Amino acid sequence: MRLLVIILLVMVQPVMAQHRYSLTPVNGLNSEKDDILCGFMEGKPIYVSNDLQDLVNDYSWNTRFVFQLKIAERGNTYQDLHSKGRFLPFPGIRSEGTASFNPADSSLYFSSAESYGESKGTHLRIYSTRWNGTAWSRPSLHPVCQGTRDYAHPFYDPQTGVLFFSSNRNGGYGGMDIWYSYYSQGAWTEPVNPGMLVNTSAHEIFPSVFDGDLYFSSNGIIPSRGYELFYCENKSQWKSAVQLQDPLNSPGDDVMIVFLDAHHGFVSSDRTGGKGGDDIYLFQREEAGLPQNTFAMELMVDGKPCAGAGIRVTNPLQEVL
């Protein structure tokens, strides 16, 4: 058999490094509507997709349609994703937002405009629910939510126990800001705003974390570009936001990035060439100028060639090569 070996670099470095990236649309999930991949549960991708116009809620920062959480399964590779339908079984279609799974205690944090039995409102809130192996618990309002403000786009970092989210709560710099809260000694800390090195007077949304660094989308740092993806290093304190290079960013709105590992991940964007609205793209970082190598393999059993045996070669992501 022939095996193509591609040597990749590690982690996203500042934009000056100018790594090369290839993007491939995930056509098994993309539709004419908006589709945004936000995380994983036990290896299965979680994403949001919309097909109903929001006639209940009027968010000044989001004039699109109602989103519902869905879950997908992977084929041989992460490019081969197929929807398994709606993710959560709770009633109501009052706009579910992105979700983030905590594998340590099987909790899921998600945003929704549904009240789950309480008095109905017109704002997004963050809720938590727990998977017991067969069913989800009834959603409970997350304690970071206070007052009549929007709380959306939760992303939990299991390495640090920090929940990032976007909100227009009091104390921010205007519009939707990125906030975070620690889980410490059995309780969530008062939310903290990382400051003007991250947030602007416009909107910062869809936070994610990889290797300790914060990634997010903003339409206030470079307003002429619309929503662009940025990251901030967290080396004892937040550093200035750095714009991710093209093609991770595009002339369109680029709203979320989620990493599989240091070399692969997903970008959600309404760039031209997609099926419509926000589409999901698998990205891979490449190193230019490396030679391609061909290897031969022979399977031996007791010193004799074994004909007709099936051999499956996988990468660290357990994708079949």
Side-chain angles (χ1 to χ4, degrees):
M1 63 178 294
R2 295 166 62 86
L3 176 63
L4 177 64
V5 176
I6 302 175
I7 300 178
L8 301 173
L9 298 179
V10 296
M11 187 45 198
V12 172
Q13 297 297 321
V15 67
M16 293 76 72
Q18 290 297 313
H19 299 299
R20 290 183 55 185
Y21 293 88
S22 63
L23 266 68
T24 307
V26 183
N27 289 326
L29 301 185
N30 292 331
S31 68
E32 295 179 356
K33 306 297 184 181
D34 293 306
D35 307 285
I36 301 173
L37 194 144
C38 55
F40 306 90
M41 177 182 170
E42 298 175 348
K44 295 182 178 181
I46 304 170
Y47 72 108
V48 288
S49 184
N50 58 5
D51 55 7
L52 296 171
Q53 189 171 5
D54 190 347
L55 301 178
V56 178
N57 305 290
D58 180 19
Y59 310 120
S60 61
W61 50 273
N62 180 9
T63 58
R64 299 188 180 181
F65 286 45
V66 173
F67 283 92
Q68 287 187 341
L69 277 164
K70 298 183 179 181
I71 193 163
E73 283 191 348
R74 192 196 78 185
N76 286 337
T77 69
Y78 275 101
Q79 185 181 341
D80 183 20
L81 296 179
H82 300 280
S83 178
K84 299 300 290 183
R86 191 173 180 186
F87 182 29
L88 297 176
F90 310 123
I93 52 173
R94 293 166 58 85
S95 192
E96 292 173 342
T98 55
S100 185
F101 184 68
N102 177 7
D105 64 359
S106 298
S107 291
L108 183 82
Y109 308 104
F110 70 101
S111 55
S112 175
E114 184 60 54
S115 60
Y116 302 106
E118 302 174 1
S119 59
K120 295 185 181 298
T122 58
H123 294 277
L124 283 169
R125 297 284 190 272
I126 295 174
Y127 293 86
S128 62
T129 179
R130 182 168 294 180
W131 177 251
N132 65 9
T134 58
W136 293 101
S137 65
R138 178 174 176 168
S140 59
L141 186 67
H142 198 282
V144 299
C145 300
Q146 299 174 1
T148 56
R149 296 290 182 171
D150 290 311
Y151 292 80
H153 313 149
F155 190 95
Y156 181 77
D157 179 19
Q159 293 185 344
T160 59
V162 178
L163 180 70
F164 290 84
F165 59 94
S166 54
S167 174
N168 55 9
R169 61 180 280 146
N170 293 332
Y173 293 91
M176 300 292 285
D177 276 4
I178 304 298
W179 297 78
Y180 64 92
S181 174
Y182 289 88
Y183 189 74
S184 176
Q185 298 180 348
W188 291 93
T189 62
E190 182 70 16
V192 176
N193 188 305
M196 295 184 68
L197 295 181
V198 173
N199 293 311
T200 70
S201 59
H203 301 306
E204 282 68 47
I205 54 178
F206 293 110
S208 65
V209 179
F210 181 73
D211 197 26
D213 296 332
L214 172 65
Y215 293 78
F216 62 96
S217 180
S218 171
N219 68 346
I221 299 177
I222 309 178
S224 62
R225 293 268 297 194
Y227 281 102
E228 288 282 280
L229 293 168
F230 297 84
Y231 83 99
C232 288
E233 291 184 343
N234 185 14
K235 308 299 183 184
S236 75
Q237 64 179 3
W238 296 108
K239 305 296 183 181
S240 297
V242 176
Q243 181 187 15
L244 298 187
Q245 70 188 74
D246 297 350
L248 297 179
N249 276 312
S250 72
D253 286 329
D254 309 288
V255 294
M256 190 162 194
I257 183 169
V258 178
F259 287 84
L260 286 165
D261 62 12
H263 317 300
H264 307 81
F266 295 95
V267 165
S268 300
S269 169
D270 71 352
R271 64 190 62 203
T272 59
K275 287 189 174 182
D278 292 312
D279 282 337
I280 300 167
Y281 296 84
L282 175 69
F283 73 81
Q284 176 174 308
R285 192 169 61 193
E286 301 175 340
E287 179 71 358
L290 292 178
Q292 297 181 352
N293 300 299
T294 300
F295 295 88
M297 176 184 293
E298 185 176 35
L299 181 63
M300 308 289 290
V301 177
D302 295 329
K304 299 179 181 180
C306 183
I311 299 174
R312 186 175 68 171
V313 179
T314 62
N315 63 14
L317 295 176
Q318 298 304 305
E319 294 181 320
V320 178
L321 301 177

